[in-house]
Every structure is written in C-alpha cells, then in structure tokens.
Amino acid sequence: MSVLSGLTAALSDGSIEVIDLTTPLSGDTPVLSLPQPLANTVGLTLSSVSNFDDAGPAWAWNDVTVGEHAGTHLDAPVHWITGREGKSVDRIEPRRLVGPAVVIDKRAEVAQDPDFLLEPEHLEQWQEEHGQLPENCWVIFRTGWSARGGNASDFVNADESGPHTPGVSVAGAKWIAGNDRISGFGVETVGIDAGQAATMDPMFPVHSFLLGADKYGVTSLRQLDRLPVVGATLVVAPLPIVGGTGSPSRVYALVEAS
C-alpha cells in the first residue's frame, strides 16, 4: 500500500480523525480593533444576489465582504513592515502550510494571568521534555482562550489600558523567528500578538519578528484541547489572494484516533 493509499484508508476508517480548528465566520465574529486614529478592518457581510426568486429562480448566492484578517485567518509576511518585501498569501508554498503541529500548553498559567507571555525558557523546556522541534512545524499556543469565543467582550477582554490576552514576549518572538524548523505560529486569540503588545519594543513583536523571517501566523483557533502535544499534522488553507496580506482560512488537524 502506498503512503497516500494508507492515509486515504485511515481517513475512511476513522483511524485518522480530521479536527476542524476553525472559528465559524459570521458578522458576529470578533475582529481586531485598533485605537483611533488608526484604521480598522471589517468583519463579514453577506449580500444576497439571488435566493430562489426572480433574480435567480433555481439558485441562491451571495456577495461577500470580509477583511483579510477576520476570524480564523493567516498572516502573510507582507502584512507587516518587516516583511513588506516578502511573500503575499498567493506566493506561500503549499508545503509550508502543511506540517507537524507541536502544542505548547499553558492553560493553567493563562487561567491565573490573562497577560501571560510565552518566553524562550518555555520553548526550551518543551524541547527538553519532547525532543527537538520537527522540520516545517507549526507551534500551537494552547491557552484555553477560545472558551471565551461565545462572548465578544470576554474574548477581547479589554479595559482602559487595552486588551488583556496571552501572547509572546519580545524574547520569545525572537526565539520562534530564529528557529529554522518553524514555519508558523498558531493562537486561540484574535491576533498572533499579546493584547498588550502595543506597549512592547518593538510593538507587536510576533508580527515584527516572525513575518520578517518568512514565517506565518494563524489566529482564532478552536478545539485545541483535542490535539496531542506531538503527533498531529496541521493543514492551513487560506485563499490564494493575489497580493493578499492575509486571508480567512480553514484550519484542520489530522490526529490519530486513540
């Protein structure tokens, strides 16, 4: 049996499960909000073209208006000034969008501190426990934050000082960006940076370091509690928008059934 035949058979008989990690995209899905006078993206709007009526008696379809960075979405290098000469979404090699998922589980820490930051020592400790990161991997930051997804206010978790959501320190972002085995970084929050990242130097260090290093981000993931720490394969499927700085994406994990 060939490798692909074995995979197809395993998907058919359920020995490999496909887990959807994507937040459903609607007009109510929270999107990142920047303070004035900075401009903000839009969420999702559907406008009916026809709906089994005189405009189209046998079919229904909609026009879609949506920001590149709405809902579960991929950040391409050209999204950030450090990567402005890099790849747009359509130019990212498909092989970079499929790879091993390694899960950094900090749910307990985030439950105690919503501003928790991932540091280099956390990533190094993971390798001490589980071995060297695999080639072309996606580092998945499991925080439990998606449990707040049903309430936009809880999900954004903002006060007078701005949002309070977990993320990565400046040193942690440099560590991830500098590791050649990593293709991307995935989070449960609305953006790949911490809620207080605007106060860091540089601002939004995950965007700054990772996108400048030809690595990619994916946000608003769900069902990460169903992933093993090692052993899953991540599949990120953005639209190949020509010149796009990002794209709403469907994100799957292939996991061996227990």
Side-chain angles (χ1 to χ4, degrees), residues 158-178:
D159 61 17
E160 63 279 357
S161 64
H164 294 275
T165 59
V168 185
S169 71
V170 172
K174 286 182 179 178
W175 193 100
I176 296 170

Side-chain angles (χ1 to χ4, degrees), residues 98-255:
V98 180
V102 299
V103 178
I104 312 294
D105 192 335
K106 295 299 178 184
R107 288 174 290 184
E109 290 84 348
V110 171
Q112 296 298 316
D113 177 12
D115 289 315
F116 175 83
L117 298 178
L118 199 61
E119 298 283 359
E121 54 262 35
H122 300 129
L123 296 151
E124 291 163 1
Q125 181 183 11
W126 188 97
Q127 290 194 109
E128 291 173 4
E129 295 176 1
H130 303 287
Q132 188 177 36
L133 295 174
E135 292 283 355
N136 194 41
C137 71
W138 281 73
V139 174
I140 305 300
F141 188 26
R142 181 158 63 196
T143 60
W145 204 261
S146 61
R148 298 168 173 254
N151 183 294
S153 177
D154 288 346
F155 190 68
V156 175
N157 196 38
D159 61 17
E160 63 279 357
S161 64
H164 294 275
T165 59
V168 185
S169 71
V170 172
K174 286 182 179 178
W175 193 100
I176 296 170
N179 191 306
D180 291 339
R181 292 175 172 265
I182 298 173
S183 273
F185 179 65
V187 299
E188 297 179 62
T189 48
V190 72
I192 56 174
D193 265 296
Q196 291 290 298
T199 67
M200 299 179 185
D201 184 16
M203 293 192 302
F204 306 103
V206 180
H207 283 83
S208 183
F209 290 117
L210 267 67
L211 301 186
D214 189 37
K215 300 183 190 300
Y216 320 117
V218 67
T219 75
S220 297
L221 298 175
R222 291 188 172 188
Q223 299 204 87
L224 296 188
D225 59 302
R226 298 181 62 187
L227 301 189
V229 172
V230 293
T233 295
L234 198 74
V235 180
V236 182
L239 296 171
I241 301 168
V242 176
T245 72
S247 170
S249 302
R250 199 77 180 256
V251 182
Y252 301 106
L254 306 182
V255 177

Side-chain angles (χ1 to χ4, degrees), residues 59-134:
W59 56 89
W61 54 351
N62 300 303
D63 286 333
V64 177
T65 301
V66 66
E68 294 173 318
H69 300 267
T72 300
H73 66 273
L74 178 131
D75 288 346
V78 294
H79 174 47
W80 211 251
I81 191 167
T82 53
R84 65 188 304 172
E85 303 301 326
K87 297 186 183 83
S88 52
V89 180
D90 58 300
R91 294 174 54 213
I92 297 173
E93 304 95 322
R95 66 176 181 80
R96 298 286 303 279
L97 301 174
V98 180
V102 299
V103 178
I104 312 294
D105 192 335
K106 295 299 178 184
R107 288 174 290 184
E109 290 84 348
V110 171
Q112 296 298 316
D113 177 12
D115 289 315
F116 175 83
L117 298 178
L118 199 61
E119 298 283 359
E121 54 262 35
H122 300 129
L123 296 151
E124 291 163 1
Q125 181 183 11
W126 188 97
Q127 290 194 109
E128 291 173 4
E129 295 176 1
H130 303 287
Q132 188 177 36
L133 295 174

Side-chain angles (χ1 to χ4, degrees), residues 24-31 44 149 152:
L25 184 58
S26 74
D28 296 325
T29 303
V31 297
L44 176 75

